[in-house]
mmCIF file of all heavy atoms in Angstrom:
data_model
loop_
_atom_site.group_PDB
_atom_site.id
_atom_site.type_symbol
_atom_site.label_atom_id
_atom_site.label_comp_id
_atom_site.label_asym_id
_atom_site.label_seq_id
_atom_site.Cartn_x
_atom_site.Cartn_y
_atom_site.Cartn_z
ATOM 1 N N MET A 236 9.262 30.829 32.995
ATOM 2 C CA MET A 236 10.733 30.758 32.978
ATOM 3 C C MET A 236 11.216 29.984 31.772
ATOM 4 O O MET A 236 10.762 28.840 31.552
ATOM 5 C CB MET A 236 11.239 30.150 34.232
ATOM 6 C CG MET A 236 12.728 30.023 34.340
ATOM 7 S SD MET A 236 13.158 29.213 35.862
ATOM 8 C CE MET A 236 14.703 29.939 36.127
ATOM 9 N N ILE A 239 16.841 26.008 29.090
ATOM 10 C CA ILE A 239 17.860 25.630 28.135
ATOM 11 C C ILE A 239 17.572 24.149 27.802
ATOM 12 O O ILE A 239 17.342 23.321 28.698
ATOM 13 C CB ILE A 239 19.279 25.753 28.695
ATOM 14 C CG1 ILE A 239 19.567 27.231 29.034
ATOM 15 C CG2 ILE A 239 20.323 25.218 27.741
ATOM 16 C CD1 ILE A 239 20.870 27.476 29.685
ATOM 17 N N LYS A 252 30.414 9.007 3.122
ATOM 18 C CA LYS A 252 29.213 9.827 3.109
ATOM 19 C C LYS A 252 28.763 10.000 4.531
ATOM 20 O O LYS A 252 29.108 9.183 5.423
ATOM 21 C CB LYS A 252 28.111 9.205 2.259
ATOM 22 C CG LYS A 252 28.441 9.143 0.825
ATOM 23 C CD LYS A 252 27.335 8.551 0.028
ATOM 24 C CE LYS A 252 27.726 8.511 -1.472
ATOM 25 N NZ LYS A 252 26.688 8.106 -2.329
ATOM 26 N N TYR A 260 11.766 24.563 4.431
ATOM 27 C CA TYR A 260 11.154 25.602 5.161
ATOM 28 C C TYR A 260 11.027 26.843 4.353
ATOM 29 O O TYR A 260 11.158 26.735 3.133
ATOM 30 C CB TYR A 260 11.914 25.896 6.504
ATOM 31 C CG TYR A 260 11.096 26.607 7.560
ATOM 32 C CD1 TYR A 260 9.901 26.155 7.993
ATOM 33 C CD2 TYR A 260 11.548 27.850 8.019
ATOM 34 C CE1 TYR A 260 9.154 26.877 8.887
ATOM 35 C CE2 TYR A 260 10.840 28.560 8.986
ATOM 36 C CZ TYR A 260 9.646 28.085 9.423
ATOM 37 O OH TYR A 260 8.857 28.737 10.352
ATOM 38 N N ASP A 262 12.604 29.378 3.183
ATOM 39 C CA ASP A 262 13.558 29.791 2.097
ATOM 40 C C ASP A 262 14.286 28.629 1.464
ATOM 41 O O ASP A 262 15.415 28.745 0.982
ATOM 42 C CB ASP A 262 14.577 30.795 2.646
ATOM 43 C CG ASP A 262 15.253 30.349 3.905
ATOM 44 O OD1 ASP A 262 14.869 29.311 4.495
ATOM 45 O OD2 ASP A 262 16.117 31.073 4.345
ATOM 46 N N GLY A 263 13.678 27.413 1.416
ATOM 47 C CA GLY A 263 14.280 26.332 0.661
ATOM 48 C C GLY A 263 14.692 25.140 1.559
ATOM 49 O O GLY A 263 14.253 25.013 2.697
ATOM 50 N N ILE A 267 20.249 18.834 8.454
ATOM 51 C CA ILE A 267 20.776 18.806 9.846
ATOM 52 C C ILE A 267 21.077 17.310 10.167
ATOM 53 O O ILE A 267 20.634 16.373 9.446
ATOM 54 C CB ILE A 267 19.766 19.376 10.890
ATOM 55 C CG1 ILE A 267 18.406 18.652 10.914
ATOM 56 C CG2 ILE A 267 19.543 20.879 10.638
ATOM 57 C CD1 ILE A 267 17.521 19.088 11.977
ATOM 58 N N GLN A 273 16.576 15.901 24.376
ATOM 59 C CA GLN A 273 16.649 14.936 25.414
ATOM 60 C C GLN A 273 15.485 15.051 26.339
ATOM 61 O O GLN A 273 15.088 16.148 26.721
ATOM 62 C CB GLN A 273 17.943 15.226 26.213
ATOM 63 C CG GLN A 273 18.207 14.230 27.387
ATOM 64 C CD GLN A 273 19.494 14.679 28.145
ATOM 65 O OE1 GLN A 273 19.869 15.822 28.147
ATOM 66 N NE2 GLN A 273 20.105 13.684 28.760
ATOM 67 N N GLU A 274 14.814 13.932 26.628
ATOM 68 C CA GLU A 274 13.708 13.951 27.514
ATOM 69 C C GLU A 274 14.104 13.706 28.924
ATOM 70 O O GLU A 274 15.195 13.163 29.236
ATOM 71 C CB GLU A 274 12.721 12.821 27.089
ATOM 72 C CG GLU A 274 12.121 13.081 25.735
ATOM 73 C CD GLU A 274 11.163 11.984 25.261
ATOM 74 O OE1 GLU A 274 10.999 11.002 25.898
ATOM 75 O OE2 GLU A 274 10.636 12.176 24.125
ATOM 76 N N GLY A 276 14.956 12.209 32.319
ATOM 77 C CA GLY A 276 15.238 10.860 32.752
ATOM 78 C C GLY A 276 15.932 10.014 31.649
ATOM 79 O O GLY A 276 16.185 8.900 31.879
ATOM 80 N N LEU A 279 21.787 11.119 27.128
ATOM 81 C CA LEU A 279 22.035 11.626 25.747
ATOM 82 C C LEU A 279 22.088 10.484 24.736
ATOM 83 O O LEU A 279 21.558 10.559 23.614
ATOM 84 C CB LEU A 279 23.332 12.464 25.694
ATOM 85 C CG LEU A 279 23.276 13.813 26.370
ATOM 86 C CD1 LEU A 279 24.636 14.418 26.530
ATOM 87 C CD2 LEU A 279 22.343 14.768 25.665
ATOM 88 N N SER A 280 22.736 9.398 25.133
ATOM 89 C CA SER A 280 22.858 8.219 24.243
ATOM 90 C C SER A 280 21.418 7.663 23.922
ATOM 91 O O SER A 280 21.132 7.274 22.858
ATOM 92 C CB SER A 280 23.712 7.150 24.875
ATOM 93 O OG SER A 280 25.051 7.543 24.903
ATOM 94 N N ARG A 285 16.729 6.847 20.260
ATOM 95 C CA ARG A 285 15.281 7.090 20.031
ATOM 96 C C ARG A 285 15.008 7.989 18.825
ATOM 97 O O ARG A 285 14.225 7.737 17.937
ATOM 98 C CB ARG A 285 14.637 7.751 21.261
ATOM 99 C CG ARG A 285 13.155 8.087 21.087
ATOM 100 C CD ARG A 285 12.552 8.757 22.341
ATOM 101 N NE ARG A 285 13.366 9.829 22.864
ATOM 102 C CZ ARG A 285 13.446 11.036 22.362
ATOM 103 N NH1 ARG A 285 12.770 11.355 21.299
ATOM 104 N NH2 ARG A 285 14.188 12.009 22.952
ATOM 105 N N LEU A 288 15.742 6.331 15.435
ATOM 106 C CA LEU A 288 14.610 5.437 15.049
ATOM 107 C C LEU A 288 13.469 6.293 14.447
ATOM 108 O O LEU A 288 12.860 5.869 13.465
ATOM 109 C CB LEU A 288 14.186 4.610 16.213
ATOM 110 C CG LEU A 288 15.072 3.464 16.623
ATOM 111 C CD1 LEU A 288 14.619 2.828 17.939
ATOM 112 C CD2 LEU A 288 15.028 2.415 15.563
ATOM 113 N N GLU A 289 13.185 7.416 15.088
ATOM 114 C CA GLU A 289 12.096 8.267 14.669
ATOM 115 C C GLU A 289 12.392 8.959 13.289
ATOM 116 O O GLU A 289 11.507 9.016 12.466
ATOM 117 C CB GLU A 289 11.772 9.344 15.676
ATOM 118 C CG GLU A 289 11.193 8.780 16.952
ATOM 119 C CD GLU A 289 11.070 9.822 18.071
ATOM 120 O OE1 GLU A 289 11.360 10.980 17.838
ATOM 121 O OE2 GLU A 289 10.611 9.436 19.191
ATOM 122 N N LEU A 300 31.743 11.293 21.838
ATOM 123 C CA LEU A 300 31.353 12.670 21.724
ATOM 124 C C LEU A 300 32.383 13.439 20.882
ATOM 125 O O LEU A 300 33.622 13.405 21.165
ATOM 126 C CB LEU A 300 31.297 13.333 23.110
ATOM 127 C CG LEU A 300 30.923 14.805 23.143
ATOM 128 C CD1 LEU A 300 29.520 15.143 22.603
ATOM 129 C CD2 LEU A 300 31.075 15.334 24.565
ATOM 130 N N LEU A 301 31.966 14.147 19.870
ATOM 131 C CA LEU A 301 32.881 14.826 18.987
ATOM 132 C C LEU A 301 32.808 16.335 19.163
ATOM 133 O O LEU A 301 33.799 17.022 19.201
ATOM 134 C CB LEU A 301 32.608 14.445 17.556
ATOM 135 C CG LEU A 301 33.647 14.859 16.514
ATOM 136 C CD1 LEU A 301 35.031 14.175 16.838
ATOM 137 C CD2 LEU A 301 33.226 14.562 15.116
ATOM 138 N N ALA A 314 16.349 34.864 14.119
ATOM 139 C CA ALA A 314 15.986 35.494 15.439
ATOM 140 C C ALA A 314 14.536 35.686 15.631
ATOM 141 O O ALA A 314 14.046 35.488 16.749
ATOM 142 C CB ALA A 314 16.829 36.740 15.657
ATOM 143 N N GLY A 336 21.170 -0.592 3.505
ATOM 144 C CA GLY A 336 21.476 0.229 2.291
ATOM 145 C C GLY A 336 20.252 0.766 1.608
ATOM 146 O O GLY A 336 20.333 1.527 0.687
ATOM 147 N N GLU A 337 19.081 0.351 2.045
ATOM 148 C CA GLU A 337 17.858 0.796 1.374
ATOM 149 C C GLU A 337 17.366 2.066 2.007
ATOM 150 O O GLU A 337 17.483 2.284 3.208
ATOM 151 C CB GLU A 337 16.756 -0.249 1.389
ATOM 152 C CG GLU A 337 16.462 -0.821 2.744
ATOM 153 C CD GLU A 337 15.482 -2.008 2.710
ATOM 154 O OE1 GLU A 337 15.898 -3.094 2.240
ATOM 155 O OE2 GLU A 337 14.326 -1.840 3.167
ATOM 156 N N SER A 342 9.636 7.142 10.746
ATOM 157 C CA SER A 342 8.385 6.776 11.422
ATOM 158 C C SER A 342 7.755 7.989 12.148
ATOM 159 O O SER A 342 6.561 8.103 12.295
ATOM 160 C CB SER A 342 8.583 5.634 12.405
ATOM 161 O OG SER A 342 9.484 6.039 13.467
ATOM 162 N N VAL A 349 11.564 16.341 5.139
ATOM 163 C CA VAL A 349 11.034 15.766 3.913
ATOM 164 C C VAL A 349 11.733 14.452 3.543
ATOM 165 O O VAL A 349 11.366 13.829 2.528
ATOM 166 C CB VAL A 349 11.091 16.766 2.747
ATOM 167 C CG1 VAL A 349 10.168 17.928 3.020
ATOM 168 C CG2 VAL A 349 12.493 17.236 2.438
ATOM 169 N N ILE A 354 25.150 12.300 2.099
ATOM 170 C CA ILE A 354 25.856 13.365 1.367
ATOM 171 C C ILE A 354 27.378 13.051 1.373
ATOM 172 O O ILE A 354 27.889 12.686 2.413
ATOM 173 C CB ILE A 354 25.653 14.711 2.043
ATOM 174 C CG1 ILE A 354 24.171 15.049 2.167
ATOM 175 C CG2 ILE A 354 26.449 15.816 1.347
ATOM 176 C CD1 ILE A 354 23.479 15.365 0.906
ATOM 177 N N LYS A 367 26.440 25.490 10.369
ATOM 178 C CA LYS A 367 27.335 25.635 9.243
ATOM 179 C C LYS A 367 28.810 25.365 9.632
ATOM 180 O O LYS A 367 29.546 24.756 8.810
ATOM 181 C CB LYS A 367 27.225 27.124 8.761
ATOM 182 C CG LYS A 367 25.921 27.464 8.159
ATOM 183 C CD LYS A 367 25.825 28.967 7.857
ATOM 184 C CE LYS A 367 24.384 29.327 7.442
ATOM 185 N NZ LYS A 367 24.283 30.790 7.274
ATOM 186 N N ASP A 375 37.286 17.160 8.268
ATOM 187 C CA ASP A 375 38.637 16.837 8.981
ATOM 188 C C ASP A 375 38.509 15.435 9.595
ATOM 189 O O ASP A 375 39.421 14.657 9.439
ATOM 190 C CB ASP A 375 38.924 17.835 10.042
ATOM 191 C CG ASP A 375 39.459 19.172 9.467
ATOM 192 O OD1 ASP A 375 39.717 19.302 8.238
ATOM 193 O OD2 ASP A 375 39.537 20.132 10.247
ATOM 194 N N TYR A 376 37.403 15.178 10.294
ATOM 195 C CA TYR A 376 37.285 13.895 10.951
ATOM 196 C C TYR A 376 37.352 12.739 9.954
ATOM 197 O O TYR A 376 38.003 11.695 10.205
ATOM 198 C CB TYR A 376 35.948 13.831 11.742
ATOM 199 C CG TYR A 376 35.838 12.557 12.552
ATOM 200 C CD1 TYR A 376 36.367 12.422 13.788
ATOM 201 C CD2 TYR A 376 35.148 11.468 11.995
ATOM 202 C CE1 TYR A 376 36.258 11.228 14.537
ATOM 203 C CE2 TYR A 376 35.016 10.298 12.687
ATOM 204 C CZ TYR A 376 35.566 10.189 13.949
ATOM 205 O OH TYR A 376 35.497 9.001 14.680
#
Side-chain angles (χ1 to χ4, degrees):
M236 178 184 211
I239 297 175
K252 296 181 179 184
Y260 197 55
D262 52 353
I267 60 175
Q273 181 182 27
E274 295 178 356
L279 290 169
S280 294
R285 176 182 50 76
L288 284 170
E289 292 174 1
L300 174 66
L301 193 63
E337 53 187 70
S342 62
V349 296
I354 305 288
K367 295 173 187 174
D375 285 350
Y376 183 85

